[in-house]
Amino acid sequence: MLNYWLIKSEPSSFSIEDLKAKPQQTDMWDGVRNYQARNIMMQEMKTGDRAFFYHSNANPPGIVAVVEIVSKEAYPDPSQFDKASKYYDPQSSVEKPRWYLVDVKFIQDLPFTSLESVKSNPKLKDMKLVQKGSRLSVQPVTHEEWNEIMKMTQSHVHSQQ
DNA sequence: GCCAACGTTGGC
DNA sequence: GCCAACGTTGGC
């Protein structure tokens, strides 16, 4: 069964425009260095799942697009072995990698849905995104939450016309 | 740039 | 295994 997710990126380091500029508009979701987020990618994400692309540390922060998980499964994040990378992890090894990633592909832009508007929608009050202290950069989204946000993006379109 | 909240590390 | 110290995230 298809599952939904939300993945965060700081646009100053990797924005949705950066993803769209990649070959096949696809890239490795590298640099995740949190076990909970890694475990979601390793154990729960499946090919064909969809995710909201969220711009964190942005002005304003919010959801900007839909992407799809396209790798067959999670595989070791090469940046952990790269001494020149800021994601280099000296405690990891090729024999026993610590960090895994999936490939994501751009699907479509969405009318911008701000964090503020998600917070102000009572139907979305249980989203991880709006829970106090929640910083998880790869997080699950329920079907209900997904549909509600899609509905919000539609209402944006109408109100702008 | 500040800082609250959270995760990780490492001494003991 | 506790927990203080430190590092990071991310909204504001």
Side-chain angles (χ1 to χ4, degrees):
Chain A
M1 162 121 135
L2 185 73
N3 284 310
Y4 295 118
W5 311 96
L6 180 146
I7 59 177
K8 298 180 185 174
S9 184
E10 301 194 17
S12 61
S13 73
F14 189 80
S15 74
I16 192 66
E17 298 306 321
D18 294 325
L19 180 62
K20 285 154 84 168
K22 295 284 177 183
Q24 279 81 54
Q25 299 187 312
T26 299
D27 201 19
M28 298 185 286
W29 200 249
D30 63 359
V32 171
R33 295 294 181 268
N34 170 282
Y35 288 108
Q36 208 179 334
R38 180 204 69 176
N39 290 346
I40 287 174
M41 290 196 291
M42 284 181 78
Q43 299 161 12
E44 300 187 49
M45 278 184 168
K46 299 279 181 278
T47 310
D49 282 359
R50 297 271 168 127
F52 289 127
F53 194 111
Y54 177 87
H55 277 169
S56 61
N57 238 322
N59 190 16
I63 292 165
V64 295
V66 173
V67 299
E68 183 173 314
I69 312 308
V70 293
S71 52
K72 196 147 181 275
E73 55 194 357
Y75 59 98
D77 180 344
S79 67
Q80 70 195 303
F81 311 125
D82 177 5
K83 281 189 175 141
S85 169
K86 65 172 172 173
Y87 299 124
Y88 176 65
D89 184 349
Q91 304 198 67
S92 186
S93 66
V94 177
E95 296 74 30
K96 205 174 177 189
R98 190 184 263 202
W99 305 110
Y100 283 69
L101 54 68
V102 296
D103 294 336
V104 301
K105 179 183 173 64
F106 171 76
I107 298 296
Q108 61 170 353
D109 285 313
L110 290 176
F112 183 71
T113 304
S114 68
L115 174 61
E116 187 184 16
S117 64
V118 173
K119 277 183 173 169
S120 65
N121 185 336
K123 290 180 185 166
L124 300 176
K125 67 175 168 41
D126 292 330
M127 278 191 79
K128 291 260 190 312
L129 185 68
V130 300
Q131 278 159 26
K132 191 179 158 82
S134 171
R135 308 181 310 189
L136 198 57
S137 65
V138 175
Q139 55 178 258
V141 172
T142 68
H143 284 237
E144 291 74 18
E145 289 160 354
W146 183 274
N147 291 334
E148 182 61 22
I149 286 171
M150 284 305 200
K151 207 192 290 179
M152 288 168 72
T153 67
Q154 287 311 305
S155 68
H156 272 184
V157 171
H158 293 309
S159 64
Q160 280 165 13
Q161 285 167 352

